[in-house]
Amino acid sequence: KMNLKYIFIFLVTVGFISCKKDSQVSTQTLQLLQIKWSLISDETVLPTIPAYNSSYIGVATDYYLFSTTDTLTIHQRSLASSYTQSVTETFPYVVRNNNTLTYGPNMNFPITIKRLTNDTLILTNPVTASFINANGTTNTYPGTRTVILAR
């Protein structure tokens, strides 16, 4: 009976340890991130076809709001088809670790947290541009999107 008691205690202990939440994200990262950020710029660079690079400079009303309820609200003029309109979109987001988050409908697409300080947040992610040629072939070009935010 004594051996059975120790086996039970061992299994319960292992069960509690294995159910422990993943602690890859520091409290400091969440405290710095979860606030309203002003959009400074949103740039896409395609090194092999620079004619298709794009750059948007944020206006006073543009922002990213990372809420404590894991919801990201993006308000940005350039998301609209016309620069005279503003669009607000809300997405779920997950901080995967201190250097990576995902948001939007495709939650498995990693966004790198390149810099996170009291006053600066820089996010980067790979992008691709695909063009269908007149003969039906497709050319794909890799690039990088960089979003710079400030408090």
Side-chain angles (χ1 to χ4, degrees):
K1 281 191 166 185
M2 194 60 129
N3 286 342
L4 189 57
K5 179 179 178 183
Y6 287 119
I7 291 172
F8 176 75
I9 291 171
F10 173 76
L11 290 175
V12 169
T13 304
V14 169
F16 282 127
I17 292 171
S18 66
C19 290
K20 183 181 175 191
K21 279 184 105 174
D22 188 5
S23 61
Q24 294 179 339
V25 180
S26 73
T27 303
Q28 181 183 12
T29 295
L30 293 176
Q31 288 173 343
L32 288 171
L33 179 69
Q34 293 175 331
I35 196 160
K36 187 175 183 179
W37 295 90
S38 297
L39 176 64
I40 302 302
S41 64
D42 187 340
E43 181 178 62
T44 299
V45 175
L46 302 163
T48 55
I49 52 167
Y52 289 97
N53 291 350
S54 67
S55 183
Y56 173 77
I57 303 300
V59 297
T61 57
D62 292 343
Y63 65 86
Y64 280 46
L65 174 60
F66 290 90
S67 76
T68 57
T69 59
D70 301 329
T71 301
L72 169 61
T73 301
I74 300 174
H75 181 85
Q76 185 174 344
R77 265 191 348 181
S78 70
L79 292 174
S81 59
S82 167
Y83 285 116
T84 60
Q85 290 182 309
S86 292
V87 172
T88 301
E89 296 185 281
T90 302
F91 306 101
Y93 78 91
V94 174
V95 180
R96 302 289 179 192
N97 57 50
N98 291 325
N99 300 310
T100 308
L101 62 86
T102 57
Y103 72 84
N106 186 4
M107 292 295 286
N108 61 359
F109 187 71
I111 310 277
T112 300
I113 301 170
K114 191 166 185 165
R115 176 184 284 171
L116 177 58
T117 66
N118 284 328
D119 57 4
T120 304
L121 173 58
I122 300 176
L123 304 173
T124 63
N125 61 280
V127 295
T128 56
S130 297
F131 298 95
I132 300 173
N133 301 312
N135 65 4
T137 61
T138 302
N139 292 345
T140 302
Y141 303 95
T144 304
R145 178 179 181 212
T146 302
V147 175
I148 299 176
L149 304 150
R151 287 191 192 195

